[in-house]
């Protein structure tokens, strides 16, 4: 099976812009989770989608949003980018929610200048 | 907020030695998982241990879970240079009331260096 793919792999944006990141899960997986990884805060949970519904949300401002399509592909959007949004954004897919192991994509490295 | 806390933060050993990493957490869990991350890349799932299990093995990996102490350990035996990576524990906790989805919460990781 093909692994989790994320596009783009690298992105440079300026403050105030918005960005959309994409994630294609492993075939058959219906749960997609998003994480932000920074050197200071580590891996932080953003949100999880299962069958097109947001099932869980981390402690992030409303500028961070996401959605999931009927084919389980997911996108996350960050509006009004801030310097502190520079991070590695990781997407993970799993068969179900939480109680299953997650399979991670390679991540999107976002740099905000 | 971090649920799992790994210890030590960094570990440097010689090839062939064993490496032990510990993880402590605060609330009740459904399961605990260990992941590996090579520099700046995605995480790779290593092993999942459920709250009613005490020990699990996978190849050179051995994981223990002590729910009374809210702690887990990951042992890598006969380490290799290719084991150099950051290792994270992640706890899966359910929402209040038990219904709905579980959230996976990661610790800050242990950076393991295996010297050839």
């Amino acid at each position: 099976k093909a692994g989790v793919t994320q596009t783009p792999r690298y992105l440079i944006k300026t403050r105030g812009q918005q960005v959309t990141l994409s994630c294609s899960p492993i075939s058959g997986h219906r749960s997609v989770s998003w994480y932000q990884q920074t050197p200071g805060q580590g891996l932080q949970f953003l949100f999880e989608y299962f069958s097109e519904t947001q099932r869980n949300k981390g402690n992030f401002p409303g500028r961070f949003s996401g959605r999931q399509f009927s084919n389980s592909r997911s996108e996350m959007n960050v509006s009004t980018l801030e310097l502190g949004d520079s991070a590695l954004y990781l997407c993970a897919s799993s068969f179900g929610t939480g109680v299953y192991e997650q399979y991670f994509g390679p991540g999107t490295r976002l740099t905000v200048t | 907020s971090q649920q799992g806390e790994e210890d030590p933060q960094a570990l440097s050993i010689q090839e062939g030695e064993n490496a032990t990493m510990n993880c402590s957490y605060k609330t009740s869990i459904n399961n605990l998982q260990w992941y590996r991350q090579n520099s700046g890349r995605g995480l790779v799932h290593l092993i999942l241990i459920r709250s009613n299990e005490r020990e699990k093995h996978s190849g050179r990996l051995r994981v223990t879970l002590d729910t009374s102490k809210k702690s887990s350990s990951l042992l890598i035996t006969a380490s290799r240079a290719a084991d150099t990576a950051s290792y994270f524990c992640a706890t899966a906790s359910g929402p209040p009331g038990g219904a709905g989805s579980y959230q996976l919460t990661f610790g800050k990781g242990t950076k393991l260096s295996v010297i050839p």
Side-chain angles (χ1 to χ4, degrees):
Chain A
K1 276 185 183 177
V4 178
T5 58
Q6 291 187 246
T7 55
R9 292 292 311 279
Y10 302 92
L11 207 47
I12 299 175
K13 291 284 189 179
T14 55
R15 272 184 304 176
Q17 288 186 313
Q18 74 159 19
V19 67
T20 299
L21 311 181
S22 181
C23 171
S24 292
I26 290 173
S27 177
H29 284 188
R30 296 165 64 189
S31 171
V32 173
S33 297
W34 288 89
Y35 298 87
Q36 180 197 66
Q37 187 177 30
T38 59
Q41 297 298 317
L43 268 157
Q44 293 192 290
F45 171 77
L46 280 157
F47 26 67
E48 180 198 6
Y49 287 87
F50 183 81
S51 293
E52 302 179 65
T53 302
Q54 188 179 87
R55 296 292 300 270
N56 221 331
K57 190 177 188 326
N59 190 23
F60 277 82
R63 299 185 297 108
F64 292 81
S65 63
R67 59 178 175 168
Q68 187 180 33
F69 302 95
S70 58
N71 62 358
S72 294
R73 191 176 70 84
S74 177
E75 289 181 345
M76 69 161 279
N77 184 276
V78 187
S79 63
T80 320
L81 283 165
E82 301 177 359
L83 294 179
D85 297 332
S86 294
L88 181 67
Y89 289 88
L90 293 162
C91 160
S93 77
S94 64
F95 182 75
T97 68
V99 296
Y100 299 90
E101 59 266 30
Q102 297 194 347
Y103 295 83
F104 281 79
T108 294
R109 173 76 61 186
L110 172 65
T111 302
V112 182
T113 62
Chain B
S1 62
Q2 248 68 32
Q3 153 93 298
E5 294 291 336
E6 290 91 343
D7 169 62
Q9 291 185 348
L11 180 61
S12 185
I13 59 174
Q14 296 287 332
E15 204 165 28
E17 293 181 336
N18 294 342
T20 300
M21 287 157 268
N22 302 297
C23 170
S24 60
Y25 57 92
K26 296 171 186 168
T27 64
S28 63
I29 61 172
N30 176 279
N31 66 72
L32 185 144
Q33 304 178 31
W34 285 90
Y35 289 81
R36 183 188 75 224
Q37 185 180 35
N38 291 86
S39 182
R41 299 190 172 191
L43 279 73
V44 174
H45 179 265
L46 296 176
I47 205 161
L48 181 154
I49 186 166
R50 302 189 194 286
S51 59
N52 61 354
E53 296 175 310
R54 291 296 166 258
E55 189 170 311
K56 214 160 180 183
H57 296 254
S58 176
R60 295 184 294 114
L61 306 180
R62 173 179 167 248
V63 167
T64 61
L65 178 64
D66 187 335
T67 52
S68 66
K69 294 181 180 177
K70 291 188 169 57
S71 67
S72 173
S73 68
L74 169 68
L75 168 68
I76 304 174
T77 59
S79 64
R80 306 166 181 166
D83 295 328
T84 295
S86 290
Y87 291 81
F88 296 87
C89 71
T91 52
S93 303
S101 87
Y102 289 80
Q103 179 172 319
L104 206 59
T105 306
F106 285 82
K108 291 205 170 185
T110 292
K111 199 164 188 175
L112 173 66
S113 298
V114 181
I115 303 162

PDB file of all heavy atoms in Angstrom, chain B residues 8-21 79-80 83-85 87 110-116:
ATOM      1  N   PRO B   8      15.680   9.751  29.459  1.00  0.00           N
ATOM      2  CA  PRO B   8      16.266  11.100  29.463  1.00  0.00           C
ATOM      3  C   PRO B   8      15.894  11.878  28.208  1.00  0.00           C
ATOM      4  O   PRO B   8      15.293  11.337  27.301  1.00  0.00           O
ATOM      5  CB  PRO B   8      17.766  10.795  29.497  1.00  0.00           C
ATOM      6  CG  PRO B   8      17.876   9.509  28.718  1.00  0.00           C
ATOM      7  CD  PRO B   8      16.638   8.723  29.081  1.00  0.00           C
ATOM      8  N   GLN B   9      16.261  13.145  28.167  1.00  0.00           N
ATOM      9  CA  GLN B   9      16.006  13.951  26.976  1.00  0.00           C
ATOM     10  C   GLN B   9      16.957  13.556  25.854  1.00  0.00           C
ATOM     11  O   GLN B   9      16.607  13.631  24.674  1.00  0.00           O
ATOM     12  CB  GLN B   9      16.149  15.438  27.283  1.00  0.00           C
ATOM     13  CG  GLN B   9      15.052  15.975  28.179  1.00  0.00           C
ATOM     14  CD  GLN B   9      15.145  17.483  28.362  1.00  0.00           C
ATOM     15  OE1 GLN B   9      16.145  18.111  28.012  1.00  0.00           O
ATOM     16  NE2 GLN B   9      14.108  18.069  28.927  1.00  0.00           N
ATOM     17  N   ALA B  10      18.164  13.149  26.230  1.00  0.00           N
ATOM     18  CA  ALA B  10      19.153  12.725  25.243  1.00  0.00           C
ATOM     19  C   ALA B  10      19.944  11.561  25.814  1.00  0.00           C
ATOM     20  O   ALA B  10      20.175  11.480  27.022  1.00  0.00           O
ATOM     21  CB  ALA B  10      20.074  13.880  24.876  1.00  0.00           C
ATOM     22  N   LEU B  11      20.356  10.663  24.921  1.00  0.00           N
ATOM     23  CA  LEU B  11      21.076   9.457  25.325  1.00  0.00           C
ATOM     24  C   LEU B  11      22.077   9.113  24.241  1.00  0.00           C
ATOM     25  O   LEU B  11      21.716   9.057  23.054  1.00  0.00           O
ATOM     26  CB  LEU B  11      20.065   8.312  25.500  1.00  0.00           C
ATOM     27  CG  LEU B  11      20.551   6.942  25.928  1.00  0.00           C
ATOM     28  CD1 LEU B  11      21.227   7.017  27.289  1.00  0.00           C
ATOM     29  CD2 LEU B  11      19.377   5.964  25.955  1.00  0.00           C
ATOM     30  N   SER B  12      23.316   8.888  24.652  1.00  0.00           N
ATOM     31  CA  SER B  12      24.362   8.548  23.704  1.00  0.00           C
ATOM     32  C   SER B  12      25.004   7.232  24.131  1.00  0.00           C
ATOM     33  O   SER B  12      25.460   7.103  25.270  1.00  0.00           O
ATOM     34  CB  SER B  12      25.409   9.663  23.664  1.00  0.00           C
ATOM     35  OG  SER B  12      26.367   9.413  22.670  1.00  0.00           O
ATOM     36  N   ILE B  13      25.017   6.248  23.240  1.00  0.00           N
ATOM     37  CA  ILE B  13      25.561   4.931  23.589  1.00  0.00           C
ATOM     38  C   ILE B  13      26.419   4.397  22.439  1.00  0.00           C
ATOM     39  O   ILE B  13      26.353   4.912  21.313  1.00  0.00           O
ATOM     40  CB  ILE B  13      24.435   3.911  23.884  1.00  0.00           C
ATOM     41  CG1 ILE B  13      23.508   3.755  22.676  1.00  0.00           C
ATOM     42  CG2 ILE B  13      23.659   4.303  25.129  1.00  0.00           C
ATOM     43  CD1 ILE B  13      22.475   2.664  22.830  1.00  0.00           C
ATOM     44  N   GLN B  14      27.175   3.364  22.725  1.00  0.00           N
ATOM     45  CA  GLN B  14      27.982   2.704  21.704  1.00  0.00           C
ATOM     46  C   GLN B  14      27.139   1.636  21.007  1.00  0.00           C
ATOM     47  O   GLN B  14      26.232   1.043  21.609  1.00  0.00           O
ATOM     48  CB  GLN B  14      29.203   2.039  22.343  1.00  0.00           C
ATOM     49  CG  GLN B  14      30.178   3.005  23.000  1.00  0.00           C
ATOM     50  CD  GLN B  14      30.969   3.806  21.992  1.00  0.00           C
ATOM     51  OE1 GLN B  14      31.218   3.357  20.874  1.00  0.00           O
ATOM     52  NE2 GLN B  14      31.376   5.011  22.359  1.00  0.00           N
ATOM     53  N   GLU B  15      27.455   1.413  19.752  1.00  0.00           N
ATOM     54  CA  GLU B  15      26.778   0.354  18.992  1.00  0.00           C
ATOM     55  C   GLU B  15      26.929  -0.972  19.736  1.00  0.00           C
ATOM     56  O   GLU B  15      28.000  -1.280  20.253  1.00  0.00           O
ATOM     57  CB  GLU B  15      27.408   0.247  17.602  1.00  0.00           C
ATOM     58  CG  GLU B  15      26.495  -0.360  16.557  1.00  0.00           C
ATOM     59  CD  GLU B  15      27.011  -0.117  15.148  1.00  0.00           C
ATOM     60  OE1 GLU B  15      28.236   0.017  14.975  1.00  0.00           O
ATOM     61  OE2 GLU B  15      26.180  -0.068  14.225  1.00  0.00           O
ATOM     62  N   GLY B  16      25.841  -1.721  19.799  1.00  0.00           N
ATOM     63  CA  GLY B  16      25.856  -3.005  20.487  1.00  0.00           C
ATOM     64  C   GLY B  16      25.311  -2.933  21.899  1.00  0.00           C
ATOM     65  O   GLY B  16      24.896  -3.956  22.459  1.00  0.00           O
ATOM     66  N   GLU B  17      25.322  -1.739  22.487  1.00  0.00           N
ATOM     67  CA  GLU B  17      24.774  -1.585  23.834  1.00  0.00           C
ATOM     68  C   GLU B  17      23.245  -1.523  23.770  1.00  0.00           C
ATOM     69  O   GLU B  17      22.646  -1.343  22.720  1.00  0.00           O
ATOM     70  CB  GLU B  17      25.328  -0.315  24.486  1.00  0.00           C
ATOM     71  CG  GLU B  17      26.810  -0.365  24.783  1.00  0.00           C
ATOM     72  CD  GLU B  17      27.304   0.905  25.456  1.00  0.00           C
ATOM     73  OE1 GLU B  17      26.678   1.969  25.309  1.00  0.00           O
ATOM     74  OE2 GLU B  17      28.340   0.820  26.150  1.00  0.00           O
ATOM     75  N   ASN B  18      22.641  -1.660  24.952  1.00  0.00           N
ATOM     76  CA  ASN B  18      21.185  -1.518  25.051  1.00  0.00           C
ATOM     77  C   ASN B  18      20.830  -0.078  25.406  1.00  0.00           C
ATOM     78  O   ASN B  18      21.578   0.602  26.103  1.00  0.00           O
ATOM     79  CB  ASN B  18      20.629  -2.444  26.145  1.00  0.00           C
ATOM     80  CG  ASN B  18      20.810  -3.909  25.801  1.00  0.00           C
ATOM     81  OD1 ASN B  18      21.041  -4.268  24.646  1.00  0.00           O
ATOM     82  ND2 ASN B  18      20.710  -4.759  26.806  1.00  0.00           N
ATOM     83  N   ALA B  19      19.675   0.371  24.904  1.00  0.00           N
ATOM     84  CA  ALA B  19      19.204   1.725  25.205  1.00  0.00           C
ATOM     85  C   ALA B  19      17.851   1.620  25.887  1.00  0.00           C
ATOM     86  O   ALA B  19      16.959   0.907  25.403  1.00  0.00           O
ATOM     87  CB  ALA B  19      19.080   2.544  23.928  1.00  0.00           C
ATOM     88  N   THR B  20      17.696   2.322  26.988  1.00  0.00           N
ATOM     89  CA  THR B  20      16.421   2.338  27.703  1.00  0.00           C
ATOM     90  C   THR B  20      15.909   3.765  27.810  1.00  0.00           C
ATOM     91  O   THR B  20      16.629   4.662  28.232  1.00  0.00           O
ATOM     92  CB  THR B  20      16.565   1.747  29.119  1.00  0.00           C
ATOM     93  OG1 THR B  20      17.015   0.396  29.027  1.00  0.00           O
ATOM     94  CG2 THR B  20      15.218   1.779  29.846  1.00  0.00           C
ATOM     95  N   MET B  21      14.655   3.943  27.411  1.00  0.00           N
ATOM     96  CA  MET B  21      14.006   5.243  27.502  1.00  0.00           C
ATOM     97  C   MET B  21      12.736   5.082  28.325  1.00  0.00           C
ATOM     98  O   MET B  21      12.054   4.064  28.215  1.00  0.00           O
ATOM     99  CB  MET B  21      13.646   5.761  26.106  1.00  0.00           C
ATOM    100  CG  MET B  21      14.849   6.221  25.321  1.00  0.00           C
ATOM    101  SD  MET B  21      14.570   6.210  23.551  1.00  0.00           S
ATOM    102  CE  MET B  21      15.159   4.593  23.141  1.00  0.00           C
ATOM    103  N   SER B  79      21.894  -2.205  20.086  1.00  0.00           N
ATOM    104  CA  SER B  79      21.623  -1.037  19.244  1.00  0.00           C
ATOM    105  C   SER B  79      22.564  -0.964  18.042  1.00  0.00           C
ATOM    106  O   SER B  79      23.698  -1.464  18.070  1.00  0.00           O
ATOM    107  CB  SER B  79      21.735   0.237  20.079  1.00  0.00           C
ATOM    108  OG  SER B  79      23.056   0.394  20.543  1.00  0.00           O
ATOM    109  N   ARG B  80      22.052  -0.314  17.004  1.00  0.00           N
ATOM    110  CA  ARG B  80      22.807  -0.120  15.762  1.00  0.00           C
ATOM    111  C   ARG B  80      22.847   1.366  15.444  1.00  0.00           C
ATOM    112  O   ARG B  80      21.991   2.118  15.909  1.00  0.00           O
ATOM    113  CB  ARG B  80      22.117  -0.861  14.607  1.00  0.00           C
ATOM    114  CG  ARG B  80      21.869  -2.326  14.869  1.00  0.00           C
ATOM    115  CD  ARG B  80      20.901  -2.892  13.859  1.00  0.00           C
ATOM    116  NE  ARG B  80      20.631  -4.312  14.113  1.00  0.00           N
ATOM    117  CZ  ARG B  80      19.638  -4.995  13.555  1.00  0.00           C
ATOM    118  NH1 ARG B  80      18.828  -4.397  12.695  1.00  0.00           N
ATOM    119  NH2 ARG B  80      19.453  -6.271  13.846  1.00  0.00           N
ATOM    120  N   ASP B  83      19.705   3.071  14.509  1.00  0.00           N
ATOM    121  CA  ASP B  83      18.705   3.368  15.539  1.00  0.00           C
ATOM    122  C   ASP B  83      18.773   4.821  15.990  1.00  0.00           C
ATOM    123  O   ASP B  83      17.913   5.275  16.763  1.00  0.00           O
ATOM    124  CB  ASP B  83      18.892   2.455  16.763  1.00  0.00           C
ATOM    125  CG  ASP B  83      18.641   0.995  16.449  1.00  0.00           C
ATOM    126  OD1 ASP B  83      17.786   0.702  15.579  1.00  0.00           O
ATOM    127  OD2 ASP B  83      19.296   0.126  17.077  1.00  0.00           O
ATOM    128  N   THR B  84      19.794   5.545  15.544  1.00  0.00           N
ATOM    129  CA  THR B  84      19.915   6.959  15.897  1.00  0.00           C
ATOM    130  C   THR B  84      18.694   7.713  15.417  1.00  0.00           C
ATOM    131  O   THR B  84      18.390   7.729  14.219  1.00  0.00           O
ATOM    132  CB  THR B  84      21.190   7.561  15.276  1.00  0.00           C
ATOM    133  OG1 THR B  84      22.329   6.936  15.865  1.00  0.00           O
ATOM    134  CG2 THR B  84      21.251   9.060  15.494  1.00  0.00           C
ATOM    135  N   ALA B  85      17.958   8.315  16.341  1.00  0.00           N
ATOM    136  CA  ALA B  85      16.691   8.972  16.031  1.00  0.00           C
ATOM    137  C   ALA B  85      16.128   9.562  17.325  1.00  0.00           C
ATOM    138  O   ALA B  85      16.699   9.371  18.401  1.00  0.00           O
ATOM    139  CB  ALA B  85      15.687   7.973  15.449  1.00  0.00           C
ATOM    140  N   TYR B  87      12.889   9.376  19.871  1.00  0.00           N
ATOM    141  CA  TYR B  87      11.845   8.412  20.219  1.00  0.00           C
ATOM    142  C   TYR B  87      10.792   9.105  21.084  1.00  0.00           C
ATOM    143  O   TYR B  87      11.118   9.780  22.051  1.00  0.00           O
ATOM    144  CB  TYR B  87      12.452   7.214  20.953  1.00  0.00           C
ATOM    145  CG  TYR B  87      13.322   6.377  20.039  1.00  0.00           C
ATOM    146  CD1 TYR B  87      14.635   6.762  19.770  1.00  0.00           C
ATOM    147  CD2 TYR B  87      12.831   5.237  19.412  1.00  0.00           C
ATOM    148  CE1 TYR B  87      15.431   6.031  18.898  1.00  0.00           C
ATOM    149  CE2 TYR B  87      13.613   4.486  18.548  1.00  0.00           C
ATOM    150  CZ  TYR B  87      14.915   4.904  18.292  1.00  0.00           C
ATOM    151  OH  TYR B  87      15.691   4.170  17.422  1.00  0.00           O
ATOM    152  N   THR B 110      12.951  11.483  23.374  1.00  0.00           N
ATOM    153  CA  THR B 110      14.338  11.205  23.763  1.00  0.00           C
ATOM    154  C   THR B 110      15.156  11.120  22.492  1.00  0.00           C
ATOM    155  O   THR B 110      14.815  10.363  21.582  1.00  0.00           O
ATOM    156  CB  THR B 110      14.450   9.871  24.528  1.00  0.00           C
ATOM    157  OG1 THR B 110      13.807   9.975  25.787  1.00  0.00           O
ATOM    158  CG2 THR B 110      15.910   9.492  24.743  1.00  0.00           C
ATOM    159  N   LYS B 111      16.232  11.907  22.461  1.00  0.00           N
ATOM    160  CA  LYS B 111      17.116  11.888  21.296  1.00  0.00           C
ATOM    161  C   LYS B 111      18.199  10.849  21.541  1.00  0.00           C
ATOM    162  O   LYS B 111      19.037  11.010  22.427  1.00  0.00           O
ATOM    163  CB  LYS B 111      17.721  13.260  21.086  1.00  0.00           C
ATOM    164  CG  LYS B 111      18.277  13.500  19.704  1.00  0.00           C
ATOM    165  CD  LYS B 111      18.499  14.994  19.475  1.00  0.00           C
ATOM    166  CE  LYS B 111      18.871  15.263  18.039  1.00  0.00           C
ATOM    167  NZ  LYS B 111      18.976  16.695  17.735  1.00  0.00           N
ATOM    168  N   LEU B 112      18.180   9.773  20.768  1.00  0.00           N
ATOM    169  CA  LEU B 112      19.149   8.688  20.923  1.00  0.00           C
ATOM    170  C   LEU B 112      20.223   8.797  19.856  1.00  0.00           C
ATOM    171  O   LEU B 112      19.919   8.895  18.661  1.00  0.00           O
ATOM    172  CB  LEU B 112      18.449   7.334  20.814  1.00  0.00           C
ATOM    173  CG  LEU B 112      19.352   6.102  20.801  1.00  0.00           C
ATOM    174  CD1 LEU B 112      20.078   5.943  22.135  1.00  0.00           C
ATOM    175  CD2 LEU B 112      18.565   4.837  20.463  1.00  0.00           C
ATOM    176  N   SER B 113      21.477   8.758  20.291  1.00  0.00           N
ATOM    177  CA  SER B 113      22.607   8.713  19.364  1.00  0.00           C
ATOM    178  C   SER B 113      23.344   7.409  19.598  1.00  0.00           C
ATOM    179  O   SER B 113      23.773   7.126  20.728  1.00  0.00           O
ATOM    180  CB  SER B 113      23.554   9.893  19.592  1.00  0.00           C
ATOM    181  OG  SER B 113      22.901  11.117  19.366  1.00  0.00           O
ATOM    182  N   VAL B 114      23.507   6.611  18.551  1.00  0.00           N
ATOM    183  CA  VAL B 114      24.249   5.360  18.642  1.00  0.00           C
ATOM    184  C   VAL B 114      25.547   5.536  17.858  1.00  0.00           C
ATOM    185  O   VAL B 114      25.531   5.749  16.643  1.00  0.00           O
ATOM    186  CB  VAL B 114      23.442   4.184  18.079  1.00  0.00           C
ATOM    187  CG1 VAL B 114      24.242   2.882  18.222  1.00  0.00           C
ATOM    188  CG2 VAL B 114      22.100   4.064  18.789  1.00  0.00           C
ATOM    189  N   ILE B 115      26.647   5.448  18.591  1.00  0.00           N
ATOM    190  CA  ILE B 115      27.965   5.722  18.001  1.00  0.00           C
ATOM    191  C   ILE B 115      28.562   4.431  17.457  1.00  0.00           C
ATOM    192  O   ILE B 115      28.677   3.453  18.200  1.00  0.00           O
ATOM    193  CB  ILE B 115      28.889   6.345  19.050  1.00  0.00           C
ATOM    194  CG1 ILE B 115      28.236   7.614  19.608  1.00  0.00           C
ATOM    195  CG2 ILE B 115      30.266   6.658  18.466  1.00  0.00           C
ATOM    196  CD1 ILE B 115      28.828   8.078  20.913  1.00  0.00           C
ATOM    197  N   PRO B 116      28.930   4.425  16.169  1.00  0.00           N
ATOM    198  CA  PRO B 116      29.481   3.181  15.572  1.00  0.00           C
ATOM    199  C   PRO B 116      30.822   2.795  16.206  1.00  0.00           C
ATOM    200  O   PRO B 116      31.558   3.637  16.677  1.00  0.00           O
ATOM    201  CB  PRO B 116      29.659   3.550  14.093  1.00  0.00           C
ATOM    202  CG  PRO B 116      28.878   4.781  13.881  1.00  0.00           C
ATOM    203  CD  PRO B 116      28.799   5.499  15.196  1.00  0.00           C
TER     204      PRO B 116
END
